[in-house]
Every structure is written in structure tokens, then in C-alpha cells.
């Protein structure tokens, strides 16, 4: 957040007025007026978070993405690589990775420049536009539409990471929701449900969740376990509540962001978990990190003959990037690595079981109620424990695991 | 259930949620993902 600025919380009157204005004006305005009004709404929102001082920094970053996207169209892969390197270097500088930035998400960066709320989301949206512009899958790339896509007040702060093509199609009137009164009531209900999750349920749980600086040695194992579980449930209410709010507003505006959550507590394995939590990030990483690297690895002489090695390396790289994307501290890389290893273990397990039982036999086995229950239980516990590395530094995480092991009788 | 009845139920539910929000909303809440 920029110095001296006043953020616009989602439950504040200014935000509600801004949302009401967007819902009633954006769908009925036409042409350049619509673009200008929506841009004014978006800039009002981002200025409240970035401050007037941070606005030039954020806009320069956005415009660099636009220039790169225009330059790479119809040019060689080298132009794309140079563009991606330039944008990544800007992101690393702004995010404060180079200065060993703190793990707290809102701060002034180590370099003393304005840390920009939503910078990581903005970076992934821009990379997607540049890569897709290079491959020719983006046709209608205009500055006004691009800025509205990047700064869209419903997605700029915390996602969901929408695709430009999806946004552009909806902007041009190809809305996925029929304009029926009942659909608008559903959207308004969804926004209200989001407010209940994010501003009643999440803050109620907040005092009990895992947090840095907890007196780990003075806490019992069960107490720690409850704090870990509470964090997972808190994060669900916090982030899915936010998503419900902005998706509801997006539907009312005719610009529906993609879905991000689908009953994560019912995930049967880590792969399924990542398709149920922050799904827009998962699909982004799959398209722009995992798939290109896997293809490259299969084509390389070192890994080409070992398909499983290529798959494992791609999964680990993707998840480490997912971890590092979340923050500048080492524990975020560990968070990604732990999930990456789990994904590889799941693949090994599936491979071994399929060889032993055959495809049909393994499917029948996994459909048994007891096996499903065990898989959901294991996944829930694994993903809860993995959040240790999301919240605490590596040293503290290891201390918590030691305490849990002592309580479970696995260590003296 | 007729469409009109369903919409009336949903509007009632909305009204209940609004009352709950007015009564119990915590004024300050920092999102975990805010700032990423």
C-alpha cells in the first residue's frame, strides 16, 4: 500500500457506492464512454490501495505489459523471451525479492519504493496477455480494454485470475449469465454470502488461527493442531468469501470473473485440492509453467527418455513457482516444494496401484466409500499441515511438527 | 415451486443476510491474500 493513502475495504461505504455505480452504469453505457467510466471506477479503487504516489508505478508496470504484448505479435520467440524477462525483472524489483523482502504481504518494499497491492496477480495477468498475444490467440487488444482488464476493481486486488479473451468476450456482450431477474437476485445473494463469510465467519475464527510468533513451546500438540485446522478453515472463509463478493458484483456488471473454489475440504488428493482451491491460479500455472516445461523436458536429451522424471521435475518446478509467487520468504518456496513432492507421490501411488490392479480395478478401489473417506481425511490433514510453511518460517514450522510428533508419541 | 415463489424466498433470504451483516459484521478485516 502506498504512503499516505486510504485503502477502500470491501465492507466500506465508498466501496459499496463504487460497486453500485459500476453495477448500474457499466452495463448500460456504450462505446468509449463505457470504457472511460469503467477505467475511472477502476482507477478510483486502485488509487485507494496504491496511493497517488504508487499509481505511476503501477500504471508504468501495466503499460510495459501492453507494449510487450503489442511488440511480440507476429515476431519470433526471442521477442517473447525478452519481453517475459523484462516483465519478470520489473516484478522482482517491485516485489522486493532482490532486497530479501519481508514475508508480510503489505509493506513498503526493501528498495523503498511502493509495494503494490495485487502486484502478483497483475504480473500473472500481464504474462498471460504477452504469451497469448505472441501465439496469436488475442485479437482485440486495445489500450482501454487492456487497462480495464488489468485494473478491473473486482479482480485487481486478489484475483480470480481472469483470461483476457474471457474478459474481452464479456465486455463485448457475450455474457455467460442470462439477463433474468432471478439471476441478478442470485448474484446479489452470492455477494451477501461472501460478506458473511469474509466479515463475520473469518474474523470470528481469526483469534484462534496459526500465526507467526505463537508460544509454540507452551502450547500442547492438540492446541497447535486446532490452530492449524482453524487457519485452513479461516483461509477458506477469507478467500472464498472475497471471491463470492467480487464474482457476485461481476455477474451484476456483466463481467463475471472465473470461479476459484469448489468444496476444497472434499478433495481426495493433492491434485484435486489444487483444482478446488485458487483454481484460477492452478489453471494459469498449468498453462504457462507446467505444460511448456513438461513439453521442453520431454524433448530434452537428459529427461526425454524418462517420462516420469520429466513429469516430476515439471510438477516440482511448477509448485515451487506457485509457492514463491505467494511471497518473498523461503518458507513460501518450502510450501510449494511440499505440495510438489506430494503431487509426485500421488503420481507414483497411482502408477503402482494401476499396475497392480489394472485401470478398472483401481477405479473400483478408489470408489469404495471407506477408501474415499480415508483419501479425504488424509488430504485434509496433509493440506492443513502444509499451511505451516505458508504461515510460519521454516524453523518455526519444524518446531511445530516436532511438538505434534511428541504429542502423537512418534518422538521422545 | 413457481418462479415467483422462488424469487420471493431468495429475496427474503437476502433480507435476512443483510440484517445479519448489519448486526455482526466486523468493521476491520485484512484479507490474507491482500497484497500478494
Amino acid at each position: 500500500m502506498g504512503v499516505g493513502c486510504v485503502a477502500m475495504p470491501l465492507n466500506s461505504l465508498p466501496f459499496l457506492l463504487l460497486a453500485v455505480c459500476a453495477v448500474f452504469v457499466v452495463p448500460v453505457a456504450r462505446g468509449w464512454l463505457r470504457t472511460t467510466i469503467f477505467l475511472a471506477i477502476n482507477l478510483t479503487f486502485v488509487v485507494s490501495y496504491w496511493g497517488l504516489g504508487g499509481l505511476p508505478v503501477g500504471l508504468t508496470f501495466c503499460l510495459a505489459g501492453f507494449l510487450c504484448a503489442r511488440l511480440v505479435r507476429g515476431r519470433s520467440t526471442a521477442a517473447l523471451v525478452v519481453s517475459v524477462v523484462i516483465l519478470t525483472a520489473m516484478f522482482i524489483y517491485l516485489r522486493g525479492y532482490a532486497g530479501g523482502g519481508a514475508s508480510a504481504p503489505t509493506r513498503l518494499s526493501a528498495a523503498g519504493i511502493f509495494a503494490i497491492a495485487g502486484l502478483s496477480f497483475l504480473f500473472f495477468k500481464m504474462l498471460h496477455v504477452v504469451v497469448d498475444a505472441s501465439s496469436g490467440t488475442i485479437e482485440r487488444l486495445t489500450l482501454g480494454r487492456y487497462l480495464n482488464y488489468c485494473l478491473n476493481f473486482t479482480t485487481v486486488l486478489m484475483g480470480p485470475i481472469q483470461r483476457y479473451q474471457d474478459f474481452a468476450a464479456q465486455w463485448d456482450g457475450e455474457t455467460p449469465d442470462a439477463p433474468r431477474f432471478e439471476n441478478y437476485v442470485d448474484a446479489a445473494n452470492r455477494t451477501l454470502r461472501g460478506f458473511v463469510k469474509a466479515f463475520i465467519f473469518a474474523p470470528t475464527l481469526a483469534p484462534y488461527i496459526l500465526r507467526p510468533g505463537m508460544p509454540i513451546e507452551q502450547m500442547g500438540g492438540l492446541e497447535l493442531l486446532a490452530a492449524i485446522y482453524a487457519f485452513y478453515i479461516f483461509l477458506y472463509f477469507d478467500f472464498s468469501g472475497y471471491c463470492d463478493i467480487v464474482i457476485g458484483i461481476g455477474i451484476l456488471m456483466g463481467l463475471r470473473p472465473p470461479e476459484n473454489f469448489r468444496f476444497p475440504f472434499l478433495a481426495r488428493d493433492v491434485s484435486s485440492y489444487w483444482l478446488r482451491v485458487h483454481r484460477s491460479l492452478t489453471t494459469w500455472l498449468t498453462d504457462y509453467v507446467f505444460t511448456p516445461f513438461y513439453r521442453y523436458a520431454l524433448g530434452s536429451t537428459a529427461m526425454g527418455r524418462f517420462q516420469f522424471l520429466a513429469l516430476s521435475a515439471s510438477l516440482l518446478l511448477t509448485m515451487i513457482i506457485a509457492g514463491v509467487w505467494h511471497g518473498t520468504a523461503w518458507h513460501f518456496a518450502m510450501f510449494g516444494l511440499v505440495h510438489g513432492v506430494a503431487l509426485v507421490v500421488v503420481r507414483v501411488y497411482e502408477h503402482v496401484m494401476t499396475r497392480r490392479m489394472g485401470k478398472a480395478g483401481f477405479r473400483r478401489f478408489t470408489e469404495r466409500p471407506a477408501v474415499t473417506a480415508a483419501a479425504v481425511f488424509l488430504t485434509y490433514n496433509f493440506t492443513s499441515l502444509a499451511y505451516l510453511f505458508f504461515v510460519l518460517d521454516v524453523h518455526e514450522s519444524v518446531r511445530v511438527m516436532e511438538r505434534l510428533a511428541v504429542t502423537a508419541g512418534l518422538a521422545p | 415451486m413457481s418462479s415467483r415463489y422462488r424469487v420471493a424466498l431468495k429475496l427474503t433470504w437476502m433480507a435476512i443476510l443483510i440484517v445479519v451483516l448489519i448486526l455482526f459484521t466486523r468493521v476491520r478485516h485484512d484479507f490474507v491474500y491482500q497484497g500478494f
Side-chain angles (χ1 to χ4, degrees):
Chain A
M1 193 190 300
V3 171
C5 63
V6 180
M8 194 185 283
L10 268 58
N11 61 342
S12 66
L13 189 61
F15 177 80
L16 295 176
L17 288 175
L18 198 75
V20 167
C21 176
V23 163
F24 284 101
V25 178
V26 172
V28 292
R30 289 286 171 266
W32 64 268
L33 186 64
R34 185 170 177 234
T35 305
T36 311
I37 290 171
F38 194 44
L39 191 56
I41 289 170
N42 293 331
L43 287 174
T44 306
F45 183 73
V46 295
V47 163
S48 80
Y49 279 87
W50 296 353
L52 280 173
L55 187 64
V57 181
L59 281 181
T60 305
F61 188 48
C62 281
L63 290 173
F66 181 72
L67 283 176
C68 288
R70 292 300 284 257
L71 286 172
V72 297
R73 285 168 90 174
R75 288 198 166 80
S76 65
T77 314
L80 173 65
V81 171
V82 170
S83 296
V84 170
V85 168
I86 289 171
L87 292 177
T88 308
M90 287 178 83
F91 171 68
I92 288 171
Y93 179 71
L94 290 171
R95 191 81 165 86
Y97 285 98
S103 58
T106 49
R107 77 222 182 290
L108 280 178
S109 76
I113 50 173
F114 295 98
I116 294 173
L119 184 72
S120 302
F121 290 94
L122 195 56
F123 175 58
F124 270 17
K125 283 205 275 190
M126 284 162 49
L127 275 190
H128 140 69
V129 171
V130 171
V131 172
D132 282 20
S134 168
S135 65
T137 49
I138 285 182
E139 290 165 358
R140 297 169 282 190
L141 188 67
T142 59
L143 182 60
R145 192 175 295 185
Y146 168 83
L147 285 176
N148 275 331
Y149 163 72
C150 284
L151 305 175
N152 180 354
F153 80 102
T154 59
T155 56
V156 68
L157 198 59
M158 291 162 41
I161 304 170
Q162 193 171 23
R163 302 301 169 97
Y164 182 84
Q165 295 90 329
D166 182 32
F167 175 84
Q170 292 184 37
W171 185 257
D172 289 338
E174 297 161 28
T175 172
D177 304 286
R180 286 173 46 218
F181 180 69
E182 191 172 350
N183 287 346
Y184 292 126
V185 173
D186 286 341
N189 251 323
R190 183 161 185 184
T191 300
L192 289 172
R193 276 204 310 274
F195 276 112
V196 171
K197 280 182 185 173
F199 292 102
I200 297 179
F201 291 169
T204 304
L205 265 178
Y208 311 105
I209 62 171
L210 188 73
R211 59 165 50 86
M214 285 179 102
I216 296 166
E217 263 70 36
Q218 289 147 36
M219 292 174 75
L222 287 176
E223 206 180 338
L224 282 169
L225 197 61
I228 293 166
Y229 285 158
F231 179 79
Y232 186 3
I233 299 165
F234 163 83
L235 187 69
Y236 172 74
F237 285 137
D238 175 89
F239 197 17
S240 80
Y242 160 83
C243 289
D244 285 339
I245 293 169
V246 297
I247 291 172
I249 294 171
I251 294 170
L252 292 171
M253 276 197 310
L255 296 167
R256 181 189 190 134
E259 293 295 334
N260 237 6
F261 282 87
R262 194 164 58 88
F263 306 113
F265 304 117
L266 297 179
R268 301 170 50 114
D269 59 53
V270 185
S271 292
S272 146
Y273 166 81
W274 279 102
L275 289 171
R276 289 167 177 269
V277 166
H278 211 168
R279 187 187 168 89
S280 64
L281 174 69
T282 309
T283 52
W284 192 100
L285 288 164
T286 305
D287 291 349
Y288 298 106
V289 180
F290 174 79
T291 306
F293 186 78
Y294 186 45
R295 276 195 195 137
Y296 171 79
L298 284 177
S300 73
T301 47
M303 286 189 271
R305 277 179 289 170
F306 304 100
Q307 196 180 349
F308 185 74
L309 186 65
L311 177 71
S312 303
S314 307
L315 285 171
L316 288 173
L317 177 83
T318 305
M319 294 318 295
I320 289 170
I321 288 177
V324 172
W325 177 85
H326 281 94
T328 55
W330 280 108
H331 61 92
F332 286 112
M334 273 299 288
F335 171 71
L337 180 66
V338 164
H339 272 278
V341 170
L343 285 170
V344 173
V345 169
V346 168
R347 292 290 187 284
V348 171
Y349 168 75
E350 284 173 352
H351 180 70
V352 170
M353 295 300 275
T354 307
R355 283 188 78 171
R356 279 181 59 183
M357 299 177 164
K359 258 187 179 174
F362 182 51
R363 197 172 55 241
R364 276 197 302 277
F365 173 72
T366 56
E367 282 167 1
R368 285 185 199 167
V371 175
T372 302
V376 169
F377 177 78
L378 276 176
T379 306
Y380 177 77
N381 279 281
F382 168 78
T383 47
S384 296
L385 283 173
Y387 278 122
L388 278 174
F389 293 103
F390 188 85
V391 179
L392 307 179
D393 64 32
V394 178
H395 181 64
E396 272 187 313
S397 302
V398 171
R399 276 167 56 212
V400 170
M401 283 192 283
E402 280 171 358
R403 294 284 297 162
L404 292 176
V406 169
T407 307
L410 299 171
Chain B
M1 193 190 296
S2 77
S3 168
R4 202 173 284 183
Y5 184 62
R6 206 170 50 231
V7 171
L9 270 181
K10 285 176 180 177
L11 287 171
T12 311
W13 177 236
M14 263 177 77
I16 292 169
L17 285 181
I18 289 168
V19 172
V20 168
L21 278 164
I22 290 169
L23 290 177
F24 298 107
T25 293
R26 305 295 174 96
V27 176
R28 186 171 169 79
H29 172 64
D30 293 322
F31 288 105
V32 171
Y33 265 77
Q34 190 170 306
F36 282 140

